[in-house]
Amino acid sequence: MSANLIHLLIDATLQTLYMVAISGLIGALFGLPLGIYLAISQRGELLAAPLVNRVLGLVVNATRSVPFIILVVAIIPFTRMIAGTSIGTSAAVVPLTIAAIPFIARLVENAIREVDAGLIEAARAMGATPLQIITKVLVPEALPAISLGMTLALVSLIGYSAMVGAVGGEGLGDLGIRYGYQRFMPEVMLAVVIILIVLVQLVQSLGEWIARRVDRRAPRNRGH
């Protein structure tokens, strides 16, 4: 493989990391509070608002049900309005973020719902406010599951970032299509696949390590 192709692989990897990092960060900023609210706004929960919960749930489900490649094409006018263009790395961040928000929200909602109801009742009995219950009980107890959920979201975003290369995005997907497929260079396609596998494994391993570290129920090794 020539030095030029190696340089292209490095640039494409950095572009993929940029897309995943930015869309993951913005997705988490919106998805985390949305997921928490979806969990606590159901009937009988801390901040019960069944109608609002139902409307938000429908919006989240509708967004999640659209195949990503169709979502990318469908929101091209919105992408142009936000990024000033519909092609390139910055433009690809827009559909990636829109796909990430509802995905993260549902993962966080499920993590919050798994918290033992007895802990919530105990906090209520001690006079804790809803905000205190959320910040001191729900989120800390759900943190390991939230960490694993965020790991899953990032892994999915890596896959989506490769897919967006088919419609004008940059990164590893674009490089694999332009060189590996259109120019019949299987060594480039193989290199792209290997890099994607390595990225997924790194993210997965890091996410599992973080989940173990924040799990308050996990036994701690102590020196003797």
Side-chain angles (χ1 to χ4, degrees):
M1 188 177 295
S2 68
N4 183 51
L5 285 177
I6 292 175
H7 180 71
L8 288 173
L9 281 169
I10 293 173
D11 286 346
T13 302
L14 293 175
Q15 290 164 353
T16 293
L17 291 174
Y18 168 80
M19 288 187 286
V20 172
I22 299 300
S23 59
L25 177 60
I26 300 175
L29 289 176
F30 286 93
L32 282 169
L34 177 58
I36 293 171
Y37 184 75
L38 285 171
I40 64 174
S41 61
Q42 287 194 335
R43 192 182 305 276
E45 297 295 341
L46 286 175
L47 300 176
L51 180 59
V52 177
N53 182 279
R54 195 173 300 113
V55 172
L56 285 176
L58 286 173
V59 173
V60 168
N61 289 339
T63 307
R64 288 188 61 199
S65 65
V66 179
F68 180 70
I69 196 70
I70 295 177
L71 176 68
V72 173
V73 176
I75 66 168
I76 282 178
F78 179 71
T79 301
R80 284 198 185 118
M81 183 176 67
I82 298 296
T85 178
S86 60
I87 59 174
T89 306
S90 297
V93 169
V94 177
L96 285 171
T97 301
I98 292 177
I101 291 173
F103 187 59
I104 291 173
R106 282 303 187 196
L107 291 172
V108 172
E109 179 190 6
N110 292 334
I112 295 293
R113 286 185 180 178
E114 290 176 1
V115 175
D116 187 357
L119 294 173
I120 301 173
E121 293 304 319
R124 276 176 166 167
M126 290 187 291
T129 65
L131 181 59
Q132 288 174 329
I133 294 174
I134 293 169
T135 57
K136 303 294 186 182
V137 178
L138 290 177
V139 173
E141 289 294 324
L143 206 50
I146 291 174
S147 299
L148 291 175
M150 285 301 303
T151 301
L152 178 60
L154 289 175
V155 168
S156 298
L157 284 174
I158 291 173
Y160 288 161
S161 71
M163 196 183 306
V164 82
V167 286
E170 296 178 328
L172 290 168
D174 175 61
L175 186 67
I177 291 171
R178 285 192 295 114
Y179 286 83
Y181 177 70
Q182 295 177 348
R183 301 189 185 185
F184 304 102
M185 300 175 69
E187 68 276 13
V188 175
M189 184 67 78
L190 178 62
V192 166
V193 171
I194 291 174
I195 293 172
L196 288 172
I197 291 174
V198 170
L199 290 178
V200 168
Q201 290 299 319
L202 288 174
V203 169
Q204 188 69 45
S205 298
L206 179 61
E208 291 174 354
W209 179 80
I210 292 174
R212 289 194 298 269
R213 295 292 297 177
V214 300
D215 191 350
R216 300 192 297 187
R217 299 163 298 178
R220 303 289 182 186
N221 293 326
R222 302 180 186 213
H224 295 286

